[in-house]
Amino acid sequence: MSETVSERAATEPAPGEAILEVRDLVKHFPVRVGVLFKHVIGQVRAVDGVSFELRRGETLGVVGESGCGKSTLAQVLMRLEPPTSGTALYKGRDMFAMRGAELRKLRRSIQIVLQDPYTSLNPRMTVGDIVGEPFDIHPEVAPKGERRAKVRELLDVVGLNPEHINRYPHQFSGGQRQRIGIARALALRPEIIICDEPVSALDVSIQAQVMNLLGDLQSEFGLSYVFIAHDLSVVRHLSDRVAVMYLGKIVEIGTEDEIYSHPTHPYTQALLSAVPVADPTVRGQRQVIRLEGDVPSPVDPPSGCRFRTRCWKAQDVCAEEVPELVTRVAGHPSACHFAEERSVVP
Amino acid sequence: MAVQSMSGTGDLGEGTGVVPDAPLLEVEDLFVEFHTRDGVAKVLNGVSYHVDAGETLAVLGESGSGKSVTAQAIMGILDVPPAVVRSGAIRFRGEDLLKVSDGRRTELRGQGLAMVFQDALSALNPVFTVGFQIEEQLRVRLGMSRKDARKRAVELLDLVRIPNAARRVRQYPHEFSGGMRQRAMIAMSLALDPELLIADEPTTALDVTVQAQIMDLLKELQVERKMGLILITHDLGVVAEVADRIAVMYAGKIVEHADAVSLYRNPGHPYTAALLESLPRLDLKGTELKTIRGLPPSLLAIPPGCPFHPRCPMAEDRCRTEVPGDHRLGLGRTSKCHFAEELVGRV
Ligand SMILES: Nc1ncnc2c1ncn2[C@@H]1O[C@H](COP(=O)(O)OP(=O)(O)OP(=O)(O)O)[C@@H](O)[C@H]1O
Ligand SMILES: Nc1ncnc2c1ncn2[C@@H]1O[C@H](COP(=O)(O)OP(=O)(O)O)[C@@H](O)[C@H]1O
Ligand code: SF4
Ligand code: SF4
Ligand SMILES: [Mg+2]
Ligand SMILES: [Mg+2]
């Protein structure tokens, strides 16, 4: 596989250049009632105007609470769901407009690794078939005669025993199944891997193994990751830049250091401060911002700033004007009328 | 708080086998097996721990280590069969729940013990309103009238800070958010004013901000009611925030037992040390994480000697054959490692 990186180098964007540019991406799901004549009574605004860029070789972390739209964003970028509106440029070309050969190439270039290693693998297929399946759809990548060798190589790359090529998913542990999923995602030599909670279902010791593997593969193959997770420590560990989502929108985006050491959006601050710290000697000394209540429904989000129903800093203007995601302080964008730096991570 | 009006706690003592100075709950040398198609899984291999009134014991361990099975054995909700309790004791205020009569056991468990489960949605019955499920216990167990039970249910939902409790009692579980369902579960578990609450991964399915709310609530209720709390979790952060003492489980044994501060500062077992080291940190961007090589053992074939030896960086020859006993490390600490003293002394 290692030749792919050098193959690419001549024609492709250099490290640090944008490989994916997402602009005002929106995905709404209709809410329907009625059995026979279903009529639409509203829209779930799952992703509601998201913009960011992903650079070659970098990891963009995406954090946020359950239901904020992380997986929907992943599905749209994988072209598994059509966007409601907005664009995404893959190497400068609108990926939602791609057809035919160009679309096939896109489908090779962007791969996904999912959260649940138990349900995302077909239990009736052998590991060899699972990891090699992408070659059936894209035979140009590996001629039939070479496939088994390729699959063995992939298993080796992700730290699985190539001798286990004929085993079934249930014969592997959770962490090993996650490696199978990663091997499969690597098969077509992608440039971007979207990881949707790839380690959330794993125990700490196994989670560390898989995180290290993702890091190693990135440096070996020059991969770019969109790394979705709700565990803020995990995201910091792997990410170069981080986007914080709330109710379908990015509320703050910046480098790992800007977000964790210099957060300016009240939601980011609350989120970071709520993470329990694995040190009993600081118990009771940390300033924890306790949010009241629950996340509002994405069918009917609050006017103005979507965070205002839980924000301790909210003013009248917050209900009237949507705060733009622009840089006001601390050198990075934050969607808050009253953005100010506050250090919350001990 | 209104909860004080409830009876329950006081009546257990008189004229029974209750031992005055005994710990609130004591599990001693508990062995449980599951008889499965593939063989006998040795799930608990001599678990011992105890918790006192007003105290929080955290049971920490990776999935499959036996945390929930221990809790199920205490609550008397093990699937028997396939489970078989081989030996051991579970003493509530000195009375062995495995030995007393069925009637007495039901009485002790009914009033003294309660449990909060990880998955509130499947623990709540979807076809009844949340209020009905709380009221039913109050009516059946305490003989309350319909009207009093409703009033009490509203008080309990209010206690766990569910907004608009009077309206919410009439709703079904699916109309609650994840955090609210977990609160409702806690309200239900408090209905009979238990002396010991077992919370099995109560926040694992929840977001951090909601997790923080629920842990605050549990802690507050516990202090107010001087309840014993057994908190089962695999989250080293949550444990550090609330535990008085910690029992670390591996392959059905408590491999280390210590107060929270000592355990984090100076772990007494290589497994605990490895767990702490494999944790990514919020306060710095790391490079390579330390990992524990290999996998937890199959409970159908636990390695001889120290069960951790195939994965242990400190393992020596004797670890492959000799089962380590409890090494006492002072301050009530114990560790099942042949080299526990050296490990702790190293700092
Ligand atoms: N196919 C669908 N039809 C209707 N609503 C949907 C659909 N898929 C997602 N949603 C809704 O869109 C919102 C965002 O969901 P999404 O799965 O993207 O969240 P998430 O951030 O990935 O959450 P989690 O952390 O729980 O995985 C939620 O309110 C969800 O219920
Ligand atoms: N009903 C059951 N039948 C067979 N095995 C079971 C059953 N319940 C639990 N086990 C096994 O017991 C072991 C310990 O499980 P558990 O206590 O649930 O672990 P955890 O520490 O994750 O809570 C696991 O190997 C599990 O598969
Ligand atoms: S815009 Fe207003 S409501 Fe929104 S986060 Fe800022 S202060 Fe809070
Ligand atoms: S007894 Fe040996 S194998 Fe077991 S934890 Fe101690 S050093 Fe490691
Ligand atoms: Mg998701
Ligand atoms: Mg469990």
Side-chain angles (χ1 to χ4, degrees), chain B residues 79-148:
Chain B
D79 277 334
V80 181
V84 179
V85 178
R86 274 276 159 246
S87 60
I90 300 172
R91 284 187 282 270
F92 183 72
R93 296 196 171 287
E95 281 186 88
D96 189 348
L97 294 173
L98 299 175
K99 295 229 173 68
V100 295
S101 70
D102 288 354
R104 178 69 182 150
R105 181 159 49 230
T106 310
E107 186 184 356
L108 285 169
R109 279 183 177 138
Q111 295 191 11
L113 306 178
M115 183 153 165
V116 175
F117 298 89
Q118 166 171 354
D119 184 359
L121 188 56
S122 54
L124 292 165
N125 190 330
V127 305
F128 296 112
T129 63
V130 170
F132 178 86
Q133 298 184 54
I134 300 176
E135 290 154 28
E136 196 190 17
Q137 297 186 62
L138 296 167
R139 289 192 283 119
V140 173
R141 296 265 189 191
L142 305 179
M144 277 192 185
S145 71
R146 217 167 262 279
K147 194 156 154 274
D148 288 347

Side-chain angles (χ1 to χ4, degrees), chain A residues 228-249:
Chain A
I228 298 171
H230 65 270
D231 184 320
L232 290 134
S233 307
V234 166
V235 168
R236 178 165 210 181
H237 191 83
L238 282 174
S239 303
D240 301 299
R241 290 187 308 124
V242 178
V244 182
M245 281 186 76
Y246 187 78
L247 267 181
K249 283 186 175 301

Side-chain angles (χ1 to χ4, degrees), chain A residues 114-121 169 173-178 198 201-202:
Chain A
L114 294 168
Q115 163 169 3
D116 190 348
Y118 297 93
T119 54
S120 60
L121 302 177
S173 70
Q176 289 172 328
R177 281 186 247 213
Q178 203 52 293
L202 306 176

Side-chain angles (χ1 to χ4, degrees), chain A residues 65-66 173 203-205 208-209 212 233 236-237 239 256 260 275-280 283 286 290-291 293-294 345-346, chain B residues 62-63 177 207 209 211-213 216 237 240-241 243 260 264 279-280 282-283 285-287 289 291-292 294-295 311:
Chain A
E65 291 176 285
S66 186
S173 70
D203 275 315
V204 217
S205 72
Q209 295 172 357
N212 284 346
S233 307
R236 178 165 210 181
H237 191 83
S239 303
E256 153 271 318
Y260 286 77
V275 178
V277 172
D279 179 0
R283 195 186 286 180
R286 293 193 306 124
R290 295 291 194 235
L291 289 182
D294 292 307
V345 175
Chain B
E62 295 186 271
S63 73
S177 70
D207 286 313
T209 60
Q211 167 174 295
Q213 295 168 351
D216 280 355
E241 302 241 302
Y264 280 80
L279 206 60
L282 187 65
D283 56 352
K285 179 173 165 65
T287 44
L289 288 172
T291 59
I292 306 181
L295 299 172
R311 310 177 72 192

Side-chain angles (χ1 to χ4, degrees), chain A residues 66-67 69-72 115 196-197 228:
Chain A
S66 186
K70 305 181 295 293
S71 297
T72 304
Q115 163 169 3
D196 190 358
E197 308 265 6
I228 298 171

Side-chain angles (χ1 to χ4, degrees), chain A residues 265-266 305 307-308 311 313-314 318 323 336-338:
Chain A
H265 196 284
C305 173
F307 185 57
R308 70 176 164 83
C311 182
K313 283 167 73 176
C318 304
C336 170
H337 295 304
F338 304 103

Side-chain angles (χ1 to χ4, degrees), chain B residues 199-219:
Chain B
D200 190 356
E201 311 256 6
T203 60
T204 302
L206 304 176
D207 286 313
V208 278
T209 60
V210 184
Q211 167 174 295
Q213 295 168 351
I214 299 285
M215 287 316 302
D216 280 355
L217 174 69
L218 271 179
K219 200 68 207 166

